[in-house]
Amino acid sequence: MWTSPMELKWLLMWLLFGFIKGKTPDKCPDLPTTEFADVTAEMYPLETKLYYECDPGYRRKASMYPGIQCESKQQGAVWTYKLFECNDEKKMLSTALTMELELTQKPEGEPRSPAPQEQEDFSESKQKDFCGPPKAIPHASIKLPQQHYVGQVLHFKCQAGYDKRPPTSGSRTCKEENGKIIWTPLDMICTNDSSQWPPQTMGPGLTLLSSSPSSSGTRPVTGFTAIWFVLLIIPTAFV
């Protein structure tokens, strides 16, 4: 059966699209909310995008892109970087005013050569399909991505003051299970409210009760109260 050049072209495009799509990791569902916990990650699968964010009081230089992406290269999974800096806002304002003053007072001179840039550290994880932690940039931090991919592992830890009962740390993994992409359960609760926890058992048949009144407004009868009541009743029996 003869195939026209146009049909052959569409067939090749379909095969190429299927090959590329097969190499792209599947996206994870929305991450369940965990209150009062900090979330970190040590490794990121291919196609993950992260963004640097300047610390308060610092601002990125104009036209600098804060994003990086985990891509597959010949040496394995690596982050692709672009030049990014966070500078002190006060110094940037002072430098801008100084340059403006120089331009108004001095004739135009020879163009300045750009300052030499330091070599960046591009050390990556040895895992083939996972990038390690991104390089540190002064006065900047990394934000977790909004979209995750299969294979992502996130670590959770209760914030200070929200760790009344263990476990206070745990992890979730995005994986495919029975044809469905899920996040594994997180076996931890972060809260500073003691009423959220079950009473502690002190021994056989003994339970540590809360010192607060019960919901009905009555207080439990203690052994001392019972003895005092008996001592009050005995004299009346002989009257």
Side-chain angles (χ1 to χ4, degrees):
M1 181 178 179
W2 183 79
T3 304
S4 66
M6 181 62 67
E7 291 177 343
L8 183 61
K9 179 180 177 180
W10 280 109
L11 178 62
L12 290 174
M13 290 180 64
W14 182 81
L15 291 174
L16 180 61
F17 175 76
F19 175 77
I20 295 175
K21 184 178 180 181
K23 290 294 184 180
T24 303
D26 294 321
K27 294 182 179 180
C28 302
D30 293 338
L31 183 68
T33 302
T34 303
E35 292 184 320
F36 313 123
D38 294 322
V39 188
T40 59
E42 298 174 357
M43 302 178 67
Y44 302 86
L46 293 172
E47 303 301 323
T48 299
K49 294 181 180 180
L50 298 178
Y51 296 90
Y52 288 100
E53 187 176 44
C54 291
D55 296 337
Y58 292 84
R59 185 172 55 186
R60 67 182 177 93
K61 283 188 176 180
S63 74
M64 285 190 173
Y65 182 63
I68 60 176
Q69 185 170 2
C70 180
E71 297 183 349
S72 179
K73 302 293 183 181
Q74 186 175 4
Q75 66 271 34
V78 295
W79 290 111
T80 54
Y81 294 94
K82 294 184 179 180
L83 185 62
F84 182 78
E85 294 180 29
C86 290
N87 294 330
D88 193 315
E89 291 182 342
K90 295 180 180 179
K91 290 183 178 180
M92 291 179 68
L93 180 60
S94 176
T95 302
L97 293 175
T98 302
M99 291 180 62
E100 183 179 357
L101 184 62
E102 289 179 353
L103 290 175
T104 56
Q105 294 181 351
K106 294 181 180 180
E108 184 177 355
E110 297 182 358
R112 299 179 180 179
S113 58
Q117 299 177 1
E118 297 181 0
Q119 287 289 87
E120 304 291 352
D121 181 17
F122 289 95
S123 59
E124 304 294 342
S125 168
K126 295 181 180 179
Q127 297 264 357
K128 181 180 179 181
D129 296 328
F130 289 85
C131 290
K135 65 181 180 181
I137 289 183
H139 314 299
S141 58
I142 280 284
K143 296 191 298 182
L144 278 177
Q146 297 296 321
Q147 180 65 64
H148 301 281
Y149 296 90
V150 171
Q152 180 68 71
V153 179
L154 298 177
H155 303 278
F156 297 78
K157 185 176 181 181
C158 290
Q159 299 172 351
Y162 296 90
D163 52 358
K164 296 296 184 182
R165 297 288 187 275
T168 59
S169 62
S171 63
R172 283 186 184 270
T173 302
C174 178
K175 65 178 184 179
E176 185 174 353
E177 194 173 89
N178 299 326
K180 187 178 180 180
I181 301 175
I182 63 168
W183 286 100
T184 56
L186 182 64
D187 185 20
M188 60 175 284
I189 299 176
C190 300
T191 178
N192 63 349
D193 184 2
S194 58
S195 65
Q196 296 291 330
W197 303 100
Q200 301 178 47
T201 301
M202 305 298 293
L206 297 177
T207 302
L208 181 63
L209 298 175
S210 172
S211 60
S212 60
S214 61
S215 57
S216 61
T218 61
R219 296 180 179 271
V221 178
T222 63
F224 179 79
T225 304
I227 294 173
W228 180 253
F229 179 76
V230 171
L231 291 177
L232 290 176
I233 293 298
I234 289 176
T236 62
F238 295 96
V239 176

